[in-house]
């Protein structure tokens, strides 16, 4: 595989890594047993060995350029050893939700080895009902939620009897020498600014439009003002808590059809209801309060579909967490997201992030850290789209997949969800010390969906507009 330089956004995730801020994403997939028994570590190992060529980035490591003269490169790991990346563990009895969540917490609390390909895969055997869980952990520099799903899907099949194939021979390409790195870095320092100017001169109308859109996006963020004080505003430590929640994807669609809005609107409303339950449990005042949610928005074009790497930009939504009827809360969330869609916030943020491509890496790293230390939002909620079809791993049917997103340096909670295999599965990743009651939030999100479902059942049928 040709050596490729990390994008500015991918490199940012490397620069943000600290002993307390682990910049990995993860997905915990739970599988029912096959007719001949539970999914085993050996089953998973055989599939990974056979499919590794479908995700060549998994055999590559990060090579940094001397003196930080340019962004790092992806290069083949000449000492790649699959046994290092595959891990086996047993869940203690009774093997329920709580025991699995505790095992996942321990994995999420440890950083990835920066000298090796930035991923690990854990097989947790011994779950109740003869189930097995597989945890895929990737550095955020390697993939965002969508491209991470692309990597994971290389392991999944659409039929239980699919042939995993056979391992393919592979040999590592030689990494660039120190002289090669220095020469390429010097050339990039000269060419990048010239390319940017040439692009602007060659397409002035397009450049003017991009600048205008970027400035509009910046203005939209500034106009929101500082986020409200929130319960998750903290300086995080290295340890993580993890909790899960779920709802049938068909239930969410029923709510959307009955009450209006989008799937994301329904998800944000249920999360807002769960936040109300959490703060009420803590005895905090909630009436009239909002919290600012950072919603990662994909800016991946159709041409980039299937690419590995990050193509996301941040957008911000203020959600109501007061004591509201479910239908009222959804209405307010829809109003807030409608304003977001009318703004240029996400596109502007993506343009600003793209400017890092022309910044010296040392300044780029400094800017990334300074930005992460600012208080821009209270928590993250990320919805990763996924196919609504049955999926299998070595013949074992997938039940649900619970994602995990990293925490910001000053934000102690991130919530991610994906609708893989028909279940909207939530993974709640939290700072160990500041959110000891994350389980209350998980159950509150499920209660939020229950309340929305009741409101949908009581709502009069919606009339489609006549043509």
């Amino acid at each position: 595989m040709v050596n490729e330089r990390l994008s500015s956004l991918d490199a940012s995730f490397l620069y943000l890594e600290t002993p307390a801020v682990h910049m990995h994403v993860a997905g915990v997939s739970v599988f029912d047993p096959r007719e001949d028994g539970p999914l085993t570590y050996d089953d998973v190992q055989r599939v990974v060995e056979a499919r590794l060529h479908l995700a060549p980035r998994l055999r590559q490591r990060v090579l940094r350029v001397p003196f930080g003269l340019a962004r790092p490169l992806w290069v083949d790991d000449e000492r790649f050893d699959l046994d290092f990346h595959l891990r086996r563990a047993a869940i203690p009895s009774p093997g329920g939700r709580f025991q699995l969540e505790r095992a996942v917490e321990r994995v999420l609390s440890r950083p990835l080895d920066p000298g090796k390909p930035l991923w690990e895969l854990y097989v947790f055997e011994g779950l109740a009902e003869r189930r097995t869980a597989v945890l895929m952990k990737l550095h955020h520099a390697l993939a965002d939620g969508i491209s991470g799903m692309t990597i994971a899907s290389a392991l999944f099949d659409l039929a239980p009897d699919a042939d995993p194939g056979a391992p393919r021979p592979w040999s590592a390409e030689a990494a660039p020498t120190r002289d090669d790195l220095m020469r390429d870095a010097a050339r990039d320092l000269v060419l990048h600014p010239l390319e940017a100017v040439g692009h602007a001169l060659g397409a002035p109308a397009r450049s003017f439009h991009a600048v205008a859109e970027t400035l509009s996006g910046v203005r939209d963020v500034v106009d929101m003002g500082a986020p409200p004080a929130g319960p998750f505003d903290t300086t995080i430590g290295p340890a993580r808590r993890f909790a899960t929640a779920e709802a049938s994807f068909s239930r969410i669609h029923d709510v959307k059809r009955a009450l209006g809005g989008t799937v994301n609107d329904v998800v944000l409303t249920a999360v807002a209801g769960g936040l109300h339950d959490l703060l009420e449990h803590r005895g905090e005042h909630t009436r009239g309060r909002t919290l600012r949610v950072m919603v990662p928005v994909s800016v991946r074009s159709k041409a980039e579909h299937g690419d590995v790497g990050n193509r996301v930009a941040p957008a911000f939504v203020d959600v109501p967490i007061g004591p509201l009827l479910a239908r009222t809360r959804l209405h307010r969330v829809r109003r807030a997201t409608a304003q977001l869609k009318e703004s240029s916030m996400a596109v502007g943020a993506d343009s600003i992030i793209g400017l890092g491509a022309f910044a010296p890496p040392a300044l780029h790293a400094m800017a990334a850290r300074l930005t992460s230390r600012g208080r821009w939002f209270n928590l993250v909620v990320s919805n990763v789209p996924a196919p609504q079809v049955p999926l299998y791993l070595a013949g074992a049917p997938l039940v649900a997949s619970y994602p995990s997103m990293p925490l910001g340096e000053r934000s102690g909670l991130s919530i991610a969800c994906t609708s893989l295999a028909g279940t909207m599965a939530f993974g709640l990743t939290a700072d160990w010390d500041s959110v000891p009651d994350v389980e209350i939030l998980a159950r509150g999100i499920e209660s939020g969906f229950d309340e929305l479902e009741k409101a949908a059942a009581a709502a009069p049928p919606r009339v489609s507009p006549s043509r």
Side-chain angles (χ1 to χ4, degrees), residues 63-84:
L63 179 63
R64 294 183 183 263
V65 177
F67 311 112
L69 293 178
R71 297 191 308 278
L73 295 171
W74 292 111
V75 300
D76 287 347
D77 181 12
E78 62 280 3
R79 295 179 295 179
F80 178 77
D81 184 355
L82 185 60
D83 285 341
F84 175 84

Side-chain angles (χ1 to χ4, degrees), residues 51 78 212-213 269 291:
R51 305 280 177 80
E78 62 280 3
E213 200 165 30
T269 302
L291 289 178

Side-chain angles (χ1 to χ4, degrees), residues 39-247:
L39 179 71
T40 67
Y41 172 86
D42 292 338
D43 295 327
V44 176
Q45 183 182 41
R46 280 193 294 271
V47 172
V48 174
E49 287 175 339
R51 305 280 177 80
L52 202 55
H53 67 279
L54 298 175
R57 186 74 82 222
L58 298 184
R59 284 192 174 113
Q60 292 195 310
R61 61 184 176 87
V62 170
L63 179 63
R64 294 183 183 263
V65 177
F67 311 112
L69 293 178
R71 297 191 308 278
L73 295 171
W74 292 111
V75 300
D76 287 347
D77 181 12
E78 62 280 3
R79 295 179 295 179
F80 178 77
D81 184 355
L82 185 60
D83 285 341
F84 175 84
H85 297 275
L86 300 184
R87 315 288 174 89
R88 185 177 195 171
I91 300 297
S93 180
R97 181 201 298 263
F98 176 81
Q99 286 76 31
L100 176 60
E101 290 170 345
R102 297 298 83 80
V104 172
E105 289 173 350
R106 289 190 286 273
V107 174
L108 296 180
S109 297
R110 297 193 295 266
L112 290 160
D113 186 336
K116 298 185 180 298
L118 296 172
W119 67 280
E120 296 169 352
L121 188 147
Y122 291 75
V123 179
F124 295 112
E125 298 171 317
L127 271 67
E129 302 179 55
R130 304 170 72 213
R131 288 177 167 177
T132 303
V134 176
L135 168 60
M136 185 71 168
K137 176 178 166 186
L138 303 158
H139 199 283
H140 214 334
L142 182 66
D144 60 24
I146 293 175
S147 57
M149 193 68 69
T150 300
I151 292 174
S153 66
L155 306 180
F156 295 150
D157 295 305
L158 299 176
D161 56 352
D163 182 3
R168 296 191 181 185
W170 176 82
S171 59
E173 297 286 339
T177 65
R178 180 184 175 89
D179 288 344
D180 291 336
L181 292 172
M182 297 289 285
R183 183 171 57 252
D184 290 345
R187 184 172 62 244
D188 284 349
L189 286 173
V190 173
L191 291 182
H192 271 165
L194 295 180
E195 288 174 359
V197 172
H199 179 77
L201 293 175
R206 183 170 55 189
S207 297
F208 178 80
H209 175 73
V211 170
E213 200 165 30
T214 299
L215 292 176
S216 177
V218 173
R219 185 175 62 250
D220 290 332
V221 174
V222 172
D223 287 348
M224 293 188 75
F232 316 116
D233 302 340
T234 184
T235 300
I236 67 169
R240 300 289 177 265
R241 296 185 188 270
F242 186 73
T244 58
E246 61 272 326

Side-chain angles (χ1 to χ4, degrees), residues 217-218 220-222 224-225 227 268 291-297 313-319 333 336-341 343-346 349 371 374-381:
V218 173
D220 290 332
V221 174
V222 172
M224 293 188 75
L268 285 173
L291 289 178
R292 184 161 301 167
V293 174
M294 193 274 272
V295 182
V297 177
F316 304 96
V317 181
D318 289 347
V319 300
V333 167
T337 58
Q339 293 172 350
L340 171 62
K341 292 169 188 173
S343 75
S344 303
M345 189 183 296
T371 301
R375 203 167 68 85
W376 306 98
F377 54 88
N378 302 117
L379 70 151
V380 176
V381 178

